[in-house]
Structure formats: C-alpha cells, structure tokens
C-alpha cells in the first residue's frame, strides 16, 4: 500500500495510548443481503424498505454487499488494512425468525463462521446485538412500543451469548437507540415509520429497558466487557435569545441526555421528563426499571458525525421533526463544506463531546464505535478510488480524539464507519461511507485512498507500540 497525501504531517503526528483499539464497523442489514437465506425471518427493515416511497428510489437491503457469502473476502480486507477489531451486528431475525421461541441454528452458524474467520485473522470481534432490525413478528405485536419486546430482547441476548460467548469478548446491547425510537416512531424516517409522539416515548423507554434486561442476562453468563452504543449530536443555539437557548436544551435533552443519563445516572433528566409530559407523551417508567437500565457497564460506545445549530422557527412540512414536542424548532443548514449526507464537519465539537462524556460518566471508558463521512466516490481511470475528503475527515477526527485524550478523556478505541460502502437505510446506496469501495453491479471491492491512509496510521501506531 502507498501512503496518502492528505494531511500527512497531521496523520504522522497522531499518537494513541498503548493498547488502543483500531477497527471498522458495519451493521447486519446494511451489508449482509441474503434476506431469505437459511431460515432468516423478515425484519422491520425488510417491510419498510419494500414499502413504496420509504427509501431512496425504493432501495432495499435484499442484496446489499453480499457479505453473507463474501465474508471471507471482507475479513481478508480487514486484515489487509491492519484492523485490530471489527464491529458488526447480529440480525435478530436470523437467530430467532419469529423474534422469540424457535432458534434458527443456521443463523447462529453464520455468525460463528464469521467470528472464527476474524479470530483466525487476528481480528477481535465486537458484537452488537441490535442495530435497528427488529423481527417483523415482534413489530406485529407492538414492537418497541410494547414492554414485552424488552423481555424478548433479553431472551435473544442469552441465545446469542450461549452460542458465541466462548469466542466473543466485546458485547454491546443496542446501537443508537435514539434512532430506533425517534427516527423510527417520531419522524418516521426509519422503520417502522411511525409518526406518533406517544409511540416514540414508549419505544425510548422500552429500548433502554431492553438494554438493561439484556445486560443482566449477559452478566449472568459471564460477560466482562459489555457496553452500549449511543449517538451524540452536540446542540448549539443559533442565538442567545432565550427561546433559541431553550430549543437547544430541548433537542440536546432528547438526542443526548435522555439516553445517556438513565444508563449512567439511573434517572431521566427532569427537564426532558417535563417536556415529554407537556407534549402528552410520557415515558412509561415502572418501579425498578431505572435500576435495571443503570446496571454498571464496562465501556460506553460513542457515535459521532456532526454537530447541530438550532433555533425556534417554522419547519418545512416535508421535514418532520424527530423530537417530541419540538415542531417549533429548526436545525440550521451547516456552514462550510458538507458531506453528501448534508452533514457539516466539526472535529472540535468531537473533542468537546468526548470531554463532556468524561465528566458525565467518570470512570467509564469511552470507545468511538462510529465516525465517518459519505462522499461521491467512484473509481478513477487508474482503477483507484481517490477520496481526499474522507481521508481529511478521518485524520481530523482522529486528531480530535487524540486532543481529547491529551486533555484527560479515557478513550480506548476508534471504529471507522464504515468498512465497506453499504445500504445507508432510507438513503439507500446513494451514500458511500466505506473505506472500501463496492461496485454494486459486480460486488467488486476496492480499497479507497482513505482506507490506505487509515492503514498507514494503524501501522505507525503498531510500530510505535513495538518500540
Ligand atoms: O449508517 C449509519 C449507521 O447504521 C448508524 N450510524 C450512522 C451511520 C451513518 O448514517
């Protein structure tokens, strides 16, 4: 591999703590394809993506990047990049096609094969139990709006741990419950596509309860490196007018604190509880729930992409809010360059976020479980994929992590989103986040320049460790 020419001095100067984990992340529905293979049951994303008008040009995850059959090649790519870890999710409906009850051994066997391939290549598996793909059978019984789904999630966690606990050390319960709850039930941008504040509040609490119940089950089975992944978007008021400051407080409450605080402090933020009650959408908390939700963890997964500036204003009707009772709040278009997702680029906000989390959750190690950017990459005439913007984003955000570490944040690892170009949910295949380009016609994989830049950084880190 050749080195990148993007920000070489910055990249060369990056130093990370000893034992720092470097990986890349994916999620089941975004890469696996093979939706009918080996007894897999349908998930809410199969239903949603096949519903006309829900996703970009009707794209679905039916084929995705065929990781289900191409995983040996993909693990070989990870080894080529020099990754020490790989974060992936298990599709609940491959393991329990009806969401509960009957176990599909062939589904578990796939993940066993994948894990063995990783271990054989010296790559540490980091397993996420839930990355948004609820079995449709459970959705038919109310999905996350039903309290019972939390208990079914804990059962599922036990089944997966019984099968893989002997070979996977790093476990995560949920990925980004904010998206499952609020994008899935408030704005309806994601499956199951509801627009109902009461459902959104119920889903929020039941996801967190499911996390807590699954944590108990995994602990009983001996899990000793257990975490959860939350997505954080720092919210800044556009002006110092009290109504804009309050708008930022409200969105920060639901985006960030509503998920973090019950887990690390055992209580929902009082202001968020009041906002939700005022909106007629209370959190359905029962006695003892918060003790379950706040069971101690070994690490907190942090997903960060961009920050947001907000103010009170009139929303365009085609952009429904994801936040309960926040129909009067608008998020401003970012200033400066944006990725193809339309997201701004703010590495400084990433440093501040990591430092804030260090204060909010003292003693809890942080792991960046996702960070990355989408760009319009295509192979050039020389056959390579030149993506200087992604390399730039990557290096600047890695530098933001080292800044946070230098200022005292306990960050133990970084997973780039994503290993491969993949199915970007409602945005379909139009958004490419991979370090590795995928030609969706041929499924050919090509390591992008940014993948090579990442590999260089990892190699330098290894060499520094080896002295
Ligand atoms: O692709 C998603 C991923 O599934 C969850 N976190 C954000 C990524 C980019 O949108």
């Amino acid at each position: 591999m050749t080195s990148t020419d993007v920000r070489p001095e910055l990249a060369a100067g990056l130093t990370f703590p000893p034992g720092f984990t470097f990986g890349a992340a994916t999620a089941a529905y975004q890469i696996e394809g093979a939706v009918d293979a080996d007894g897999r049951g349908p998930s809410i994303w199969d239903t949603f993506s096949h519903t006309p008008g829900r996703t970009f040009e009707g794209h679905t995850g039916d084929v995705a990047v065929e990781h289900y059959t191409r995983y040996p090649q993909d693990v070989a790519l990870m080894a080529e990049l020099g990754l020490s870890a790989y974060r992936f999710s298990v599709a609940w409906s491959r393991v329990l096609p009806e969401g509960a009850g009957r176990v599909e051994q062939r589904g578990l066997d796939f993940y066993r094969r994948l894990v063995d391939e990783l271990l054989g290549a010296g790559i540490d598996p980091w397993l996420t139990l839930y990355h948004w793909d609820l079995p449709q059978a459970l959705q038919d019984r109310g999905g996350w709006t039903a309290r019972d789904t939390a208990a079914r999630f804990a059962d599922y966690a036990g089944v997966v741990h019984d099968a893989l606990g002997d070979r996977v050390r790093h476990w995560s319960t949920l990925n980004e419950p904010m998206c499952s709850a609020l994008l899935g039930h408030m704005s309806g941008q994601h499956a199951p596509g509801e627009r109902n504040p009461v459902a959104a509040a119920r889903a929020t609490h039941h996801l967190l309860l499911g996390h807590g119940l699954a944590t108990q089950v995994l602990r009983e089975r001996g899990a000793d490196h257990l975490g959860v992944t939350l997505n954080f978007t720092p919210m800044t008021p556009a002006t110092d007018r009290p109504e804009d400051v309050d708008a930022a407080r409200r969105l920060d409450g639901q985006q960030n604190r509503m998920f973090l605080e019950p887990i690390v402090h055992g209580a929902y933020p009082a202001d968020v509880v009041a906002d939700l009650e005022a909106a007629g959408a209370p959190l359905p908390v029962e006695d003892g729930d918060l003790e379950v939700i706040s069971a101690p963890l070994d690490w907190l997964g942090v997903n960060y992409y961009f920050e947001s500036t907000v103010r009170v204003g009139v929303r365009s009707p085609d952009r429904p809010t994801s936040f309960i009772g926040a129909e009067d709040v608008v998020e401003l278009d970012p200033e400066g360059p944006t990725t193809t997702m339309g997201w701004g680029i703010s590495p400084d906000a990433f440093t501040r976020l990591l430092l804030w989390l260090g204060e909010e959750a003292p003693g809890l190690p942080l792991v960046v479980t996702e960070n990355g950017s989408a760009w319009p990459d295509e192979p050039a005439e020389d056959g390579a994929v030149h993506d200087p913007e992604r390399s730039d984003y990557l290096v600047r955000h890695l530098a933001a992590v080292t800044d946070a570490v230098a200022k005292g944040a306990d960050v133990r690892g970084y997973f780039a989103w994503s290993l491969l170009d993949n199915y970007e949910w409602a945005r379909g295949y139009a958004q490419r986040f991979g370090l590795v380009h995928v030609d969706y016609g041929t499924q050919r994989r090509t390591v992008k320049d940014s993948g090579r830049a990442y590999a260089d950084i990892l190699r330098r880190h290894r060499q520094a460790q080896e002295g």
Side-chain angles (χ1 to χ4, degrees):
M1 288 193 185
T2 59
S3 68
T4 173
D5 59 357
V6 173
R7 294 189 183 266
E9 310 81 21
L10 186 56
L14 294 173
T15 51
F16 295 87
F20 196 84
T21 295
F22 279 109
T26 63
Y29 189 68
Q30 294 182 271
I31 62 166
E32 287 178 359
V35 290
D36 294 323
D38 295 337
R40 176 187 179 276
S43 82
I44 55 174
W45 267 95
D46 295 294
T47 308
F48 187 80
S49 65
H50 280 270
T51 304
R54 292 299 206 173
T55 67
F56 175 76
E57 294 186 352
H59 291 181
T60 74
D62 289 2
V63 177
V65 297
E66 295 183 353
H67 175 75
Y68 193 75
T69 49
R70 293 176 185 267
Y71 71 91
Q73 180 190 357
D74 294 337
V75 173
L77 280 166
M78 296 176 213
E80 189 185 334
L81 294 173
L83 305 187
S84 57
Y86 173 55
R87 173 175 178 258
F88 65 98
S89 77
V90 171
W92 185 342
S93 67
R94 280 199 195 283
V95 173
L96 293 151
E98 291 90 34
R102 184 177 64 85
V103 174
E104 175 51 79
Q105 193 56 43
R106 291 173 294 175
L108 285 171
D109 288 345
F110 164 67
Y111 294 107
R112 196 176 288 125
R113 289 195 299 277
L114 169 63
V115 165
D116 287 347
E117 192 82 18
L118 290 164
L119 294 172
I123 298 166
D124 223 0
W126 286 58
L127 186 154
T128 298
L129 285 163
Y130 185 71
H131 196 126
W132 306 353
D133 44 358
L134 187 73
Q136 183 60 41
L138 293 183
Q139 183 62 35
D140 296 342
R141 286 152 49 188
W144 287 111
T145 70
R147 191 175 168 90
D148 183 60
T149 299
R152 301 290 72 78
F153 179 61
D155 294 345
Y156 156 64
V159 170
V160 180
H161 197 279
D162 287 345
L164 299 174
D166 61 342
R167 54 197 84 189
V168 175
R169 166 142 195 257
H170 315 282
W171 290 76
S172 168
T173 54
L174 306 175
N175 178 74
E176 303 184 353
M178 177 272 169
C179 295
S180 303
L182 300 184
L183 304 190
H185 299 82
M186 185 63 203
S187 63
Q189 287 163 262
H190 280 188
E194 279 201 53
R195 288 193 186 166
N196 175 346
V198 173
R202 294 182 63 78
T204 296
H205 183 65
H206 295 148
L207 279 151
L208 288 166
L209 182 61
H211 155 75
L213 293 171
T215 297
Q216 283 179 348
V217 164
L218 296 170
R219 288 293 192 213
E220 282 160 18
R221 284 162 167 78
D224 68 355
H225 201 240
L226 177 55
V228 64
T229 282
L230 305 180
N231 56 313
F232 296 96
T233 305
M235 301 285 178
T236 308
T239 74
D240 56 9
R241 290 187 313 165
E243 57 270 40
D244 292 341
V245 172
D246 195 57
R249 176 198 63 75
R250 286 190 277 155
L251 264 54
D252 170 57
Q254 290 180 44
Q255 168 78 49
N256 304 314
R257 294 179 288 116
M258 178 164 75
F259 294 91
L260 179 68
E261 293 195 10
I263 290 173
V264 299
H265 300 318
Y268 285 106
D271 63 316
V272 174
V273 170
D275 288 346
L276 267 53
E277 282 175 1
L283 292 157
V285 181
E286 295 189 9
D287 282 352
D289 286 358
L290 286 156
E291 287 73 41
V292 172
I293 291 169
S294 59
L297 296 175
D298 304 305
W299 53 276
L300 174 67
V302 180
N303 289 3
Y304 170 79
Y305 290 88
F306 60 93
E307 66 175 337
S308 199
T309 304
V310 306
R311 67 171 169 76
V312 162
V314 179
R315 295 188 69 88
S316 128
D318 59 350
R319 293 183 72 181
T321 180
S322 301
F323 300 101
I324 297 167
E327 289 76 12
D328 60 334
V329 179
V330 292
E331 288 134 79
L332 304 193
D333 288 336
E335 287 175 5
T338 56
T339 70
T340 54
M341 292 291 282
W343 296 346
I345 300 170
S346 315
D348 293 349
F350 193 17
T351 303
R352 288 195 296 276
L353 169 66
L354 292 167
L355 291 170
W356 175 72
L357 287 169
E359 287 163 18
E360 279 292 305
L364 186 59
L366 306 176
V367 177
V368 177
T369 35
E370 284 182 29
N371 173 244
S373 57
W375 301 99
D377 321 303
E378 283 308 330
E381 276 181 13
D382 61 2
V385 180
H386 303 300
D387 58 341
E389 302 94 342
R390 182 174 295 96
S391 298
D392 187 72
Y393 181 101
L394 174 71
V395 170
R396 291 171 65 198
H397 284 76
L398 284 169
V401 173
T402 63
D403 278 358
V405 171
K407 290 175 179 146
D410 182 9
V411 188
R412 304 281 179 95
Y414 177 94
F415 289 80
W417 184 270
S418 179
L419 175 71
L420 301 158
D421 288 340
N422 62 46
Y423 180 68
E424 179 53 25
W425 307 108
R427 309 286 291 267
Y429 297 98
Q431 302 294 328
R432 293 180 177 273
F433 275 93
L435 298 172
V436 177
H437 180 272
V438 179
D439 178 322
Y440 295 121
T442 62
Q443 295 291 346
R444 182 184 153 84
R445 274 81 162 137
T446 305
V447 177
K448 300 180 190 176
D449 286 357
S450 60
R452 296 179 194 284
Y454 194 44
D456 283 349
I457 292 166
L458 273 47
R459 189 173 47 243
R460 270 196 295 272
H461 175 68
R462 258 197 321 277
Q463 284 165 354
Q465 299 296 294
E466 288 159 9

